[in-house]
Amino acid sequence: MTQDGKLVLAGAPIGQAGDVSPRLRQVLESADVVAAEDTRRLRRLASDIGAEIGGRVVSYYDQNEVARAAELLEVLKDGRTVVVITDAGMPGVSDPGYRLTHLAVEAGIQVTALPGPSAVTTALAISGLASDRFCFEGFPPRKGGERARRLGALAAEERTMVFFEAPHRLADSLAAMAEAFGADREAAVCRELTKTYEEVRRGGLGELAEWAEKGVKGEITVVVAGFVPVAGELDIAELVAQVDRLAEAGTPRKQAIADLAKAAGIPKRELYDAVHRRTGTP
């Protein structure tokens, strides 16, 4: 049975405070509790948009999310309204929010969203790459081996892919993408979206990796074109080349074959045989 409480997932501006809607101001002023990823940034945002937060403000970030979600669930069960807001974008999308949402749904509590700007769809729209079908892959793994395996499994993904990345890891991630997808695969690096120093760099992954070596600052979203399958032997030849690139990057060859065959929807043995014929190795 649905409780009287309500959980509101509030999208925050990704750069410009002027992008907020009047509804955000309203919910911040009327909520019983506002759970913020960074309480100082919340208060700065409230000041910028002329909102006076009427309820209790609590922190809600990665390190305390599990314990805080349980506390906030009890507030919701008491029939109160809880707003979750992160530093930028939508709660639950590479930001805290999923755990509390899951608990609220299980408890039969109303969950609604106050949509706002999204770095994912903003970057996708301005990238110039196909936007009819896409997937969001979040942050690539930090460790090189794990990152190579994850990207290898995406090498035959036909949808446009959107990633987040920290500026100090951008060059390594772009280089790993060039290894997994090919240096000529088209991509766009979107930096500081909607902010004063917004920048979009477009080009092949290899070219972008070289550019990023000089150092990049700010919030980063990377958009990568999907794999374009070609007929017959050319399709297999490209997959074999991707196996070689992943192997050179440190992924075990058998693992690369398995990941790519699964992603491409072909029998693993077919790709294994093609690799063996070309390289003479398993």
Side-chain angles (χ1 to χ4, degrees):
M1 182 175 179
T2 302
Q3 307 292 320
D4 291 330
K6 181 167 66 173
L7 174 62
V8 182
L9 305 175
I14 60 176
Q16 298 290 335
D19 290 338
V20 303
S21 68
R23 285 186 60 209
L24 179 59
R25 185 181 299 106
Q26 178 186 347
V27 299
L28 289 178
E29 292 180 339
S30 62
D32 297 295
V33 177
V34 179
E37 185 178 13
D38 185 325
T39 57
R40 290 170 299 180
R41 291 184 112 178
L42 167 66
R43 295 191 187 282
R44 187 160 60 247
L45 173 63
S47 175
D48 288 343
I49 65 175
E52 293 193 12
I53 301 173
R56 182 164 59 101
V57 174
V58 299
S59 62
Y60 184 63
Y61 53 94
D62 289 338
Q63 286 70 27
N64 76 350
E65 184 177 7
V66 173
R68 188 71 84 193
E71 296 173 15
L72 293 173
L73 180 64
E74 295 305 312
V75 175
L76 291 165
K77 287 181 176 179
D78 284 341
R80 301 185 181 185
T81 297
V82 173
V83 172
V84 173
I85 186 168
T86 56
D87 291 348
M90 201 69 195
V93 181
S94 286
D95 275 323
Y98 163 75
R99 287 182 175 85
L100 179 57
T101 301
H102 182 71
L103 291 174
V105 169
E106 283 192 327
I109 293 168
Q110 180 186 359
V111 179
T112 187
L114 197 168
S118 165
V120 176
T121 52
T122 301
L124 177 68
I126 67 176
S127 69
L129 300 174
S131 58
D132 53 335
R133 297 177 65 237
F134 74 95
C135 58
F136 174 58
E137 292 295 328
F139 286 88
R142 298 183 181 188
K143 295 183 178 179
E146 293 178 10
R147 183 169 53 214
R149 286 190 290 274
R150 174 78 62 81
L151 296 175
L154 293 169
E157 172 59 65
E158 296 181 23
R159 295 171 294 181
T160 300
M161 295 168 281
V162 183
F163 300 85
F164 287 161
E165 189 50 288
H168 62 281
R169 291 195 298 269
L170 179 63
D172 288 342
S173 283
L174 288 172
M177 290 177 187
E179 288 285 349
F181 306 149
D184 294 332
R185 181 80 71 90
E186 288 297 308
V189 176
C190 305
R191 187 180 72 85
E192 294 289 271
L193 287 171
T194 78
K195 300 177 185 177
T196 302
Y197 298 104
E198 176 178 292
E199 179 182 18
V200 180
R201 285 269 180 168
R202 302 175 178 88
L205 284 167
E207 172 191 347
L208 291 172
E210 290 182 9
W211 162 75
E213 285 286 351
K214 301 173 184 177
V216 179
K217 296 180 179 180
E219 300 287 336
I220 305 293
T221 306
V222 180
V223 186
V224 182
F227 173 66
V228 179
V230 289
E233 287 300 317
L234 290 177
D235 191 3
I236 292 296
E238 173 58 24
L239 291 174
V240 170
Q242 290 178 355
V243 170
D244 292 341
R245 289 193 290 266
L246 288 174
E248 290 173 3
T251 301
R253 193 173 295 272
K254 289 184 177 179
Q255 182 65 51
I257 290 171
D259 289 343
L260 287 168
K262 181 178 180 181
I266 64 173
K268 181 170 64 175
R269 187 71 198 185
E270 182 179 346
L271 182 54
Y272 174 90
D273 289 343
V275 170
H276 184 69
R277 285 195 301 270
R278 177 168 169 175
T279 65
T281 59

